[in-house]
Amino acid sequence: MPRFFRDDEKLPSRSASTRYQGHFLSFPYTVTIKDAMNLDSLLISDDASLLEVLRPALEKISVNIEVCAASRAGNDLLAKRKFDAVIVDCDDLPNGFDLLSALRQTQSNAKSVAFAVVNGKTTTQQAFHSGANFVLQKPLTPLHAARCFNAALNFMVRERRRYYRHPVEMPLRITLPHNQELTATTTNVSEGGMAIRVLGKLPKDAQAQFRFTLPAVNISFDLKGQVAWADGTGHAGIRFVEVPQSSQHQLEKWLTDHFQNEIPEQLQGYAALP
């Protein structure tokens, strides 16, 4: 039987062996290596018939689906997790339309591809004005769902590529103000920054020069970045603040090559740089 969670219930924690968290349906699903780089979507709805149409359409294009049956639980999850696509039942879920409107204000999902599901109350124009990228009309047919998600797939893959972090260890030299130098090792790199392990103390919000050479391609970078966070144990996050255009292109190409090797084969054509 489907299990529904009330707004006042604590959300179950996500585990490596569970794809559906139990916010809507409760049954085991084993995640394989092939699934690991699938796109992730969140449906916020308590409409079981809607899920029956959406789930096969999404899984056919390598998009995992998780479900919250209440708007507050969905809002809490959006504040904690990043999703490539968010589907909101605007008219049949209490506070659903407000949740769609608030989506663009969240830190994690401000740029996620948003789908509004409407049922006679919210107009298409209102849904787009509130931040929806696509609108689905109830009663939703499998054909309409498939066409909509196929049209949106390019945007979902691009969003995944934008925040993709490639795990890599490479040496890094940091020059702080007053010519103080530190050595560090990266743990992952993205288009906008990197996570590092550093020998020494990095003050939060400090700006510095970061010098590193990408492995395999032997391309050197000298970028200005800012310490976004530091935990006091040698781990820190760096946000790039000044990147020359040529360096940005080289970094994006290097990341895209790795990204394409990790995502499902049917999505690889959508990951190419524009």
Side-chain angles (χ1 to χ4, degrees):
M1 291 291 292
R3 184 186 177 193
F4 294 82
F5 277 75
R6 303 188 309 273
D7 270 342
D8 58 349
E9 286 191 84
K10 184 178 179 181
L11 294 178
S13 60
R14 189 186 192 201
S15 69
S17 62
T18 304
R19 178 59 61 186
Y20 293 89
Q21 291 188 303
H23 307 145
F24 195 104
L25 297 178
S26 181
F27 59 91
Y29 178 89
T30 301
V31 176
T32 65
I33 294 175
K34 185 177 180 180
D35 292 323
M37 278 297 288
N38 282 5
L39 302 177
D40 292 320
S41 69
L42 174 66
L43 169 64
I44 307 173
S45 174
D46 61 359
D47 186 342
S49 61
L50 178 62
L51 176 62
E52 288 178 1
V53 175
L54 294 180
R55 184 170 60 196
L58 288 165
E59 291 181 346
K60 188 175 181 179
I61 56 172
S62 299
V63 179
N64 302 316
I65 181 169
E66 297 185 23
V67 188
C68 276
S71 57
R72 199 174 86 182
N75 187 63
D76 290 344
L77 193 55
L78 288 172
K80 300 173 184 177
R81 290 266 312 281
K82 170 68 180 173
F83 293 92
D84 304 291
V86 179
I87 308 161
V88 182
D89 193 343
C90 291
D91 291 348
D92 295 331
L93 181 75
N95 302 315
F97 183 77
D98 293 337
L99 186 62
L100 174 67
S101 301
L103 177 65
R104 296 309 182 198
Q105 306 304 316
T106 63
Q107 184 173 359
S108 298
N109 292 282
K111 295 186 178 181
S112 298
V113 181
F115 298 81
V117 182
V118 300
N119 192 21
K121 181 179 178 182
T122 301
T123 66
T124 299
Q125 184 176 7
Q126 288 173 325
F128 284 136
H129 183 72
S130 294
N133 301 106
F134 296 88
V135 177
L136 297 164
Q137 175 71 53
K138 288 186 179 181
L140 184 62
T141 66
L143 180 60
H144 186 194
R147 286 177 173 174
C148 184
F149 290 128
N150 275 285
L153 192 55
N154 183 59
F155 298 97
M156 288 188 276
V157 175
R158 287 189 179 186
E159 173 63 8
R160 169 61 70 92
R161 190 191 68 196
R162 185 184 68 81
Y163 71 87
Y164 166 70
R165 297 176 180 273
H166 178 61
V168 60
E169 291 194 358
M170 58 185 176
L172 179 74
R173 292 197 66 82
I174 305 171
T175 303
L176 291 163
H178 310 298
N179 294 320
Q180 179 187 0
E181 290 201 348
L182 299 173
T183 59
T185 302
T186 64
T187 57
N188 66 58
V189 177
S190 69
E191 289 184 7
M194 60 177 64
I196 65 173
R197 296 192 307 269
V198 60
L199 299 175
K201 186 175 181 180
L202 275 177
K204 187 178 178 182
D205 298 327
Q207 290 197 2
Q209 289 296 128
F210 296 87
R211 298 177 178 86
F212 58 94
T213 300
L214 292 177
V217 293
N218 199 34
I219 299 175
S220 297
F221 290 82
D222 187 349
L223 312 176
K224 180 179 286 188
Q226 184 174 30
V227 180
W229 59 268
D231 65 4
T233 66
H235 296 86
I238 308 302
R239 180 174 60 251
F240 299 144
V241 294
E242 287 186 17
V243 183
Q245 186 173 0
S246 59
S247 297
Q248 185 70 42
H249 177 75
Q250 290 171 328
L251 179 60
E252 289 178 0
K253 183 179 185 307
W254 182 80
L255 286 166
T256 298
D257 290 342
H258 288 284
F259 178 58
Q260 287 179 312
N261 290 333
E262 295 183 23
I263 61 175
E265 184 177 354
Q266 69 182 99
L267 300 179
Q268 291 177 2
Y270 295 92
L273 289 171

